Amino acid sequence: MKSISDATGDEEDTVPMSESGATFHYFTIDAASDGPAFADVGDVDGDGTLDLIIASFGSIGFNLPAGEVNLYTMGSSLSAPWTKQAIVSESKAVLWPNHAERHDLDGDGELDLLAR
């Protein structure tokens, strides 16, 4: 696993919503992600915080690139560095890894990931 941080620094961006009075905060988790296309949210590691599973297609050009599926686990807060763990790396040469879903496929009580 490797820790990643916001490539733009420690900035937290805010978007005020004048009609409702609500304010939304957004954070960059991985500015270097190449072609993120699908996301799933859930507590994958069982620590009580939500994690992200992101399927990325890569940079699409004249050739189809290999995609990847990564797990991002949250640090001490949303703005703290997240940890990235490859589930399906580019070296596996999977084209167009689509939406990943969490299910207990084999009935062992542990989550398995299925990428369509």
Side-chain angles (χ1 to χ4, degrees):
M1 289 190 185
K2 65 178 182 176
S3 287
I4 55 176
S5 60
D6 186 341
T8 62
D10 295 296
E11 300 174 16
E12 171 189 334
D13 294 310
T14 344
V15 179
M17 304 300 287
S18 59
E19 292 180 18
S20 68
T23 300
F24 292 91
H25 300 269
Y26 60 95
F27 305 88
T28 302
I29 294 171
D30 185 357
S33 181
D34 196 9
F38 295 95
D40 191 36
V41 178
D43 184 8
V44 175
D45 59 5
D47 68 354
T49 61
L50 295 176
D51 306 308
L52 295 172
I53 303 162
I54 307 290
S56 302
F57 289 165
S59 295
I60 299 172
F62 292 107
N63 297 315
L64 288 178
E68 59 186 5
V69 179
N70 292 300
L71 169 66
Y72 295 89
T73 54
M74 188 172 66
S76 59
S77 70
L78 285 171
S79 60
W82 289 60
T83 301
K84 177 180 178 180
Q85 179 179 1
I87 297 171
V88 176
S89 65
E90 288 182 39
S91 66
K92 299 291 183 189
V94 174
L95 299 178
W96 303 93
N98 283 271
H99 183 81
E101 297 178 356
R102 298 164 291 110
H103 300 284
D104 181 5
L105 297 173
D106 54 6
D108 66 356
E110 296 180 354
L111 287 177
D112 303 302
L113 293 176
L114 172 67
R116 300 189 235 176

